[in-house]
Amino acid sequence: MYGPAATGDAPLAPLWRLDAGRTLFIGTLDHNAFHQHGAPVFLSSLGGPFGLRLEGGPWRACEAAMIPAGRLHELHLGGDPLAVFYVEPDVAGAGELAPLLRDAEEAEGALVGRSSVIPLMRQLYEDRASLAWAEDALDDLVAYARPRARRGIDPRASRAVAALAAASEEGVSVPELARLCGLSPSRLQHLFASEIGVPIRRYRAWSRMRGAIAEIVGGASFTQAAHAAGFADQAHFAHDFRRTFGAAASRSLRGVRR
């Protein structure tokens, strides 16, 4: 047990927990139109099944899914809570999230099955003080999954991701990344897209989005967060958020717990 159960009848605020290599969201969602992420994502219900549709496939009801970076998908929750856990590629590849599913089967390039972490995700969501112990819980989750992973990613791609994460606001150029990884620029671009699932430019956009979310979770307004993360304005941030998550930013970022 990481923490006590929730008390009281007030609505539960959305939970966000971000660190250098991981992003966790748990909260209620309705319908998220087709969207794609710059990092692999693990989805877990907190009880019953949710609706998932992958590009080119039918709607299916599932309890959990692991979706690689860059894979278009659509969600239907009908107001139920969902746990959404992203792990950056320099921390773990998509294969390292696979052990969080049970009875998994492949479906249109993703994995769907049963969730092995429903009790933990429910505890994180229902304990109003869970931010105090969420980091330890996520450490344990990754430590459990990593030894059981199907495969990692090429260390050169992982090195490029780490360099992008550590870069200043001006960023690091593709030729600089290529030199760091001992590759030509064209070979790095090919390797990065193959291993990470999205091109370098798309991963940069994902990193910028994570930066804006971190600012809002830390107490900044949407406008302040947009400027701090390098968006031209709040409208640009709102547009990119909807493209990245398939729903308006206000649905999951208003009234977050702190």
Coordinates of all heavy atoms in Angstrom, one line a residue, residues 160 163-164 171-189 200 204:
A160 N 20.2 10.1 -28.7 CA 19.6 11.3 -29.4 C 18.5 11.9 -28.6 O 18.3 13.1 -28.5 CB 19.2 10.9 -30.8
A163 N 19.8 13.7 -25.6 CA 20.4 15.0 -26.0 C 19.3 16.1 -26.3 O 19.4 17.2 -26.0 CB 21.3 14.8 -27.3
L164 N 18.2 15.6 -27.0 CA 17.1 16.6 -27.2 C 16.5 17.0 -25.9 O 16.1 18.2 -25.8 CB 16.0 15.9 -28.1 CG 16.4 15.6 -29.6 CD1 15.4 14.7 -30.2 CD2 16.5 16.9 -30.3
G171 N 17.6 24.6 -28.8 CA 17.6 23.3 -29.4 C 19.0 22.9 -29.9 O 20.0 23.6 -29.9
V172 N 19.0 21.6 -30.4 CA 20.2 21.1 -31.0 C 19.9 20.6 -32.4 O 18.8 20.1 -32.6 CB 20.7 19.9 -30.1 CG1 19.6 18.8 -29.9 CG2 22.0 19.3 -30.7
S173 N 20.7 20.9 -33.3 CA 20.5 20.6 -34.7 C 20.6 19.1 -35.0 O 21.3 18.4 -34.3 CB 21.4 21.4 -35.6 OG 22.7 21.0 -35.5
V174 N 20.0 18.7 -36.1 CA 20.2 17.3 -36.6 C 21.6 17.0 -36.8 O 22.1 15.9 -36.4 CB 19.3 17.1 -37.8 CG1 19.6 15.7 -38.4 CG2 17.8 17.2 -37.4
P175 N 22.4 17.8 -37.5 CA 23.8 17.5 -37.7 C 24.6 17.3 -36.4 O 25.4 16.4 -36.3 CB 24.4 18.7 -38.5 CG 23.2 19.2 -39.3 CD 22.1 19.0 -38.3
E176 N 24.3 18.1 -35.4 CA 24.9 18.0 -34.1 C 24.5 16.7 -33.4 O 25.4 16.0 -32.8 CB 24.5 19.2 -33.2 CG 25.1 20.5 -33.6 CD 24.6 21.7 -32.7 OE1 23.4 21.7 -32.5 OE2 25.4 22.6 -32.4
L177 N 23.2 16.3 -33.5 CA 22.8 15.0 -33.0 C 23.5 13.9 -33.7 O 23.9 12.9 -33.1 CB 21.3 14.9 -33.2 CG 20.3 15.6 -32.2 CD1 18.9 15.4 -32.6 CD2 20.5 15.2 -30.8
A178 N 23.6 14.0 -35.0 CA 24.2 12.9 -35.8 C 25.7 12.7 -35.3 O 26.1 11.6 -35.2 CB 24.1 13.3 -37.3
R179 N 26.4 13.8 -35.1 CA 27.8 13.7 -34.7 C 27.9 13.0 -33.3 O 28.7 12.2 -33.1 CB 28.5 15.1 -34.6 CG 28.8 15.6 -36.0 CD 29.8 16.8 -35.9 NE 29.1 17.9 -35.2 CZ 28.4 18.9 -35.8 NH1 28.2 18.8 -37.1 NH2 27.9 19.9 -35.1
L180 N 26.9 13.4 -32.4 CA 26.9 12.8 -31.1 C 26.7 11.3 -31.2 O 27.2 10.5 -30.4 CB 25.8 13.5 -30.3 CG 25.6 13.0 -28.9 CD1 26.8 13.2 -28.0 CD2 24.3 13.6 -28.3
C181 N 25.9 10.9 -32.1 CA 25.5 9.5 -32.2 C 26.4 8.7 -33.2 O 26.3 7.5 -33.4 CB 24.1 9.3 -32.7 SG 22.9 10.1 -31.6
G182 N 27.4 9.4 -33.8 CA 28.3 8.7 -34.7 C 27.6 8.3 -36.0 O 28.0 7.2 -36.6
L183 N 26.7 9.0 -36.5 CA 25.9 8.7 -37.7 C 25.9 9.9 -38.6 O 26.1 11.0 -38.2 CB 24.5 8.3 -37.4 CG 24.3 7.0 -36.5 CD1 22.9 7.0 -36.0 CD2 24.7 5.8 -37.2
S184 N 25.6 9.6 -39.9 CA 25.3 10.7 -40.8 C 23.9 11.3 -40.5 O 23.0 10.6 -39.9 CB 25.3 10.3 -42.3 OG 24.2 9.4 -42.5
P185 N 23.6 12.6 -40.8 CA 22.3 13.1 -40.5 C 21.1 12.3 -41.1 O 20.1 12.0 -40.5 CB 22.3 14.5 -41.2 CG 23.8 14.9 -41.1 CD 24.5 13.6 -41.3
S186 N 21.3 11.8 -42.4 CA 20.2 11.0 -43.0 C 20.0 9.7 -42.3 O 18.9 9.2 -42.1 CB 20.5 10.8 -44.5 OG 21.7 10.1 -44.7
R187 N 21.1 9.1 -41.9 CA 21.0 7.8 -41.2 C 20.4 8.0 -39.8 O 19.6 7.1 -39.4 CB 22.4 7.1 -41.1 CG 22.5 5.9 -40.3 CD 21.6 4.8 -40.9 NE 21.6 3.6 -40.0 CZ 20.5 2.7 -39.9 NH1 19.4 3.0 -40.7 NH2 20.6 1.7 -39.2
L188 N 20.7 9.0 -39.1 CA 20.1 9.3 -37.8 C 18.6 9.5 -38.0 O 17.8 9.0 -37.2 CB 20.8 10.5 -37.2 CG 20.1 11.0 -35.9 CD1 20.2 9.9 -34.8 CD2 20.6 12.3 -35.4
Q189 N 18.2 10.3 -39.0 CA 16.8 10.5 -39.2 C 16.0 9.2 -39.4 O 15.0 9.0 -38.9 CB 16.6 11.5 -40.4 CG 17.3 12.8 -40.2 CD 16.3 14.0 -40.1 OE1 15.2 13.9 -39.6 NE2 16.7 15.1 -40.7
I200 N 12.2 13.2 -35.9 CA 12.8 14.1 -34.9 C 11.9 15.3 -34.7 O 11.7 15.8 -33.5 CB 14.2 14.5 -35.3 CG1 15.1 13.2 -35.2 CG2 14.8 15.6 -34.4 CD1 16.6 13.5 -35.7
R204 N 10.3 16.6 -31.1 CA 10.5 18.0 -30.6 C 9.2 18.6 -30.2 O 9.1 19.2 -29.1 CB 11.2 18.9 -31.6 CG 12.7 18.6 -31.9 CD 13.2 19.7 -32.8 NE 14.4 19.4 -33.4 CZ 15.7 19.5 -32.9 NH1 15.8 20.0 -31.7 NH2 16.7 19.2 -33.6

